[in-house]
Amino acid sequence: MTRQTLLLGQTLRYLADPFHAGLDDSAVWDSDGAVLLADGRVADLGSGAAMRAAHPQADIVDYGDALITAGFVDAHAHYPQTAIIASWGKRLIDWLNSYTFPEEMRFEDRAVADEIAARYLSLTRGHGTTTVASYCTIHAESVDAFFGAALESGQRMVAGKTCMDRNAPDGLRDTAKSAYDDSKALLEKWHGCGRLSYAITPRFSPTSTPDQLAAMGALWAEHPDCLMQTHLSEQTDEVEWVARLFPEARDYLDTYEMHGLLGPGGLYGHAIHLTPRERARLREVDASLIHCPTSNSFIGSGLFDMQGLMAEGQRIGLATDTGGGSSFSMLRTMAAAYEIGQLRGNALHPAQLYWLATAGAARALRVDDKIGNLAPGMEADLVVLDLASTPAIAQRAARAQTPWEALFPTIMMGDDRAVREVWIAGQRA
Ligand code: GUN
Ligand code: ZN
């Protein structure tokens, strides 16, 4: 008989998207809950007493009043930027040229890539993140390093070789042909290997020639089950630069669409400065918009229109965008999403923030049938949160009248100290 583990604690699971369903209909919070794990999956859920009686053979792990939920999903990050997080004083293009490109150059050395990939996965797991969609560098070895480390940790991960054939320094450019060939070889090597999936990754229109974008579009057409990740309309000077580079395009999104890079399974990072046409097209094809709030304030990009985009029915995920983002933590990222919402006159509810960092991000990555929620059959990637992890948080949570009010101080002030334990595919990480 397979070994079963019964986790006891508070549990939070979603029945529906809290942006579109009523709060009472979208989430179930059980203050005396239990989650049964077997064969790497969630086998059953229920109240503590009933689950103990129903599964007397299971090993018990009692977390007291800690909160058990799906692990965090980070829908856009750059693992190679781990060591340059929190670099001072630049906006997007200068930040790329001053900090990012020199650092990414170091990944030519496989040993550097291996070291940073292991460091990144350890840091993010320590913050409760179990799945990431990460960019690598232009070096194929940087993809091997990341997926190799993820295979070892057993995590569900999405990544791809970043492609750039112009407006990047010597040593950090490929060509249209080599980007196609290398991406294809990496895709064939890693896509579907265990829990890994490959994302075709043109960095953004300014660093790809039309030929390279077309080659990436051709590869995506050959492998439509792969995700495609890129950046879209992050800063206004970037949008103007794209207009100069692609005078024939109707707008920034069109530079992708013209080359076969718009579709479901497309992940568009930032998506701040969008025209009505771009919004309509993104909605029409059901593409994913990835909100990167710590990055958008840190690099000075702008205020994502969560309320308007959600009201239109856009598919939206949440992400750190490490190292343009200033944190590895999805808790801090939820706090930043709250703050940006407030600056736009829209206070996001903790149920919405937490959904964005779990089920919503999983939905953006089109893996919400596998991860991002607690439900029988889901892969058992979990985070266990202490909702009183610091004296400041504990004293505020002690005043709470509702579970959401008890969670909110951890969202706003929590960090890796709030992460009691992480489970990956039913195993303690
Ligand atoms: N646009 C193109 N590349 C990047 C990157 O690495 N980080 C961010 N934030 N924006 C980008
Ligand atoms: Zn990014």
Side-chain angles (χ1 to χ4, degrees), residues 120-161:
Y120 174 78
L121 290 186
S122 160
L123 279 166
T124 48
R125 270 196 313 273
H127 285 86
T129 299
T130 47
T131 289
V132 181
S134 184
Y135 289 61
C136 301
T137 65
I138 70 146
H139 314 97
E141 295 75 14
S142 74
V143 181
D144 290 335
F146 185 78
F147 277 144
L151 206 53
E152 216 165 283
S153 66
Q155 288 173 263
R156 178 167 287 286
M157 286 289 172
V158 178
K161 176 195 125 70

Side-chain angles (χ1 to χ4, degrees), residues 78 81 92 95-96 100 203-204 231 234 270 295 299 321 324:
H78 300 256
Q81 298 170 16
L92 178 59
W95 174 85
L96 285 170
T100 308
R203 183 177 212 120
F204 67 157
H231 296 83
E234 180 176 1
H270 304 277
S295 172
I299 311 188
D321 190 32

Side-chain angles (χ1 to χ4, degrees), residues 59-130:
D59 298 332
I60 304 263
V61 183
D62 189 347
Y63 289 115
D65 61 1
L67 176 65
I68 306 165
T69 74
F72 298 131
V73 177
D74 185 342
H76 178 129
H78 300 256
Y79 96 80
Q81 298 170 16
T82 296
I84 55 132
I85 194 168
S87 290
W88 184 84
K90 305 283 183 196
R91 289 170 63 85
L92 178 59
I93 304 306
D94 286 344
W95 174 85
L96 285 170
N97 287 318
S98 307
Y99 299 121
T100 308
F101 290 159
E103 179 66 11
E104 292 191 9
M105 213 101 76
R106 298 177 60 230
F107 285 67
E108 189 188 5
D109 179 349
R110 174 66 192 258
V112 169
D114 283 332
E115 190 206 333
I116 302 286
R119 187 191 304 175
Y120 174 78
L121 290 186
S122 160
L123 279 166
T124 48
R125 270 196 313 273
H127 285 86
T129 299
T130 47

Side-chain angles (χ1 to χ4, degrees), residues 143-417:
V143 181
D144 290 335
F146 185 78
F147 277 144
L151 206 53
E152 216 165 283
S153 66
Q155 288 173 263
R156 178 167 287 286
M157 286 289 172
V158 178
K161 176 195 125 70
T162 295
C163 299
M164 300 195 275
D165 67 345
R166 65 168 163 176
N167 294 318
D170 288 348
L172 217 53
R173 287 190 310 272
D174 48 19
T175 65
K177 180 169 180 353
S178 75
Y180 175 90
D181 292 344
D182 291 353
S183 299
K184 184 175 159 72
L186 289 162
L187 187 162
E188 284 167 357
K189 179 173 179 182
W190 292 110
H191 188 61
C193 170
R195 305 181 75 199
L196 309 177
S197 48
Y198 193 82
I200 295 161
T201 309
R203 183 177 212 120
F204 67 157
S205 289
T207 49
S208 289
T209 58
D211 279 353
Q212 180 168 79
L213 293 177
M216 296 289 100
L219 184 60
W220 199 17
E222 291 157 26
H223 298 275
D225 60 316
C226 282
L227 298 170
M228 188 290 301
Q229 56 182 352
T230 190
H231 296 83
L232 175 67
S233 297
E234 180 176 1
Q235 294 209 337
T236 49
D237 357 359
E238 171 210 11
V239 176
E240 286 159 20
W241 189 22
V242 169
R244 290 195 299 277
L245 289 169
F246 295 86
E248 68 291 5
R250 285 171 289 183
D251 46 42
Y252 196 155
L253 185 66
D254 202 29
T255 64
Y256 296 130
E257 184 164 12
M258 283 162 57
H259 298 103
L261 293 170
L262 176 64
L267 312 176
Y268 301 88
H270 304 277
I272 301 170
H273 307 285
L274 300 175
T275 65
R277 192 204 80 88
E278 290 174 303
R279 290 167 71 130
R281 278 303 284 149
L282 287 161
R283 172 69 194 92
E284 206 165 28
V285 304
D286 195 19
S288 297
L289 311 189
I290 312 298
H291 180 31
C292 306
T294 73
S295 172
N296 295 345
S297 52
F298 183 78
I299 311 188
S301 301
L303 306 179
F304 184 82
D305 180 15
M306 179 68 77
Q307 190 173 31
L309 292 162
M310 275 293 184
E312 286 167 17
Q314 303 279 3
R315 186 181 284 259
I316 300 174
L318 188 65
T320 59
D321 190 32
T322 301
S326 54
S327 176
F328 296 99
S329 167
M330 289 302 288
L331 289 170
R332 175 69 201 116
T333 303
M334 287 179 241
Y338 179 77
E339 290 160 353
I340 287 181
Q342 284 286 62
L343 288 169
R344 293 196 70 118
N346 173 31
L348 297 175
H349 191 275
Q352 297 174 324
L353 295 166
Y354 211 90
W355 180 86
L356 281 170
T358 52
R363 181 169 173 268
L365 300 183
R366 293 175 189 270
V367 284
D368 47 324
D369 57 333
K370 298 182 179 68
I371 58 164
N373 204 355
L374 294 183
M378 300 287 272
E379 297 170 1
D381 295 345
L382 312 175
V383 63
V384 183
L385 291 181
D386 176 356
L387 300 184
S389 60
T390 68
I393 294 171
Q395 61 89 38
R396 178 62 187 89
R399 280 282 187 94
Q401 304 287 322
T402 68
W404 297 120
E405 199 184 339
L407 173 60
F408 194 54
T410 290
I411 289 178
M412 293 309 302
M413 297 190 279
D415 53 29
D416 49 339
R417 289 170 291 180

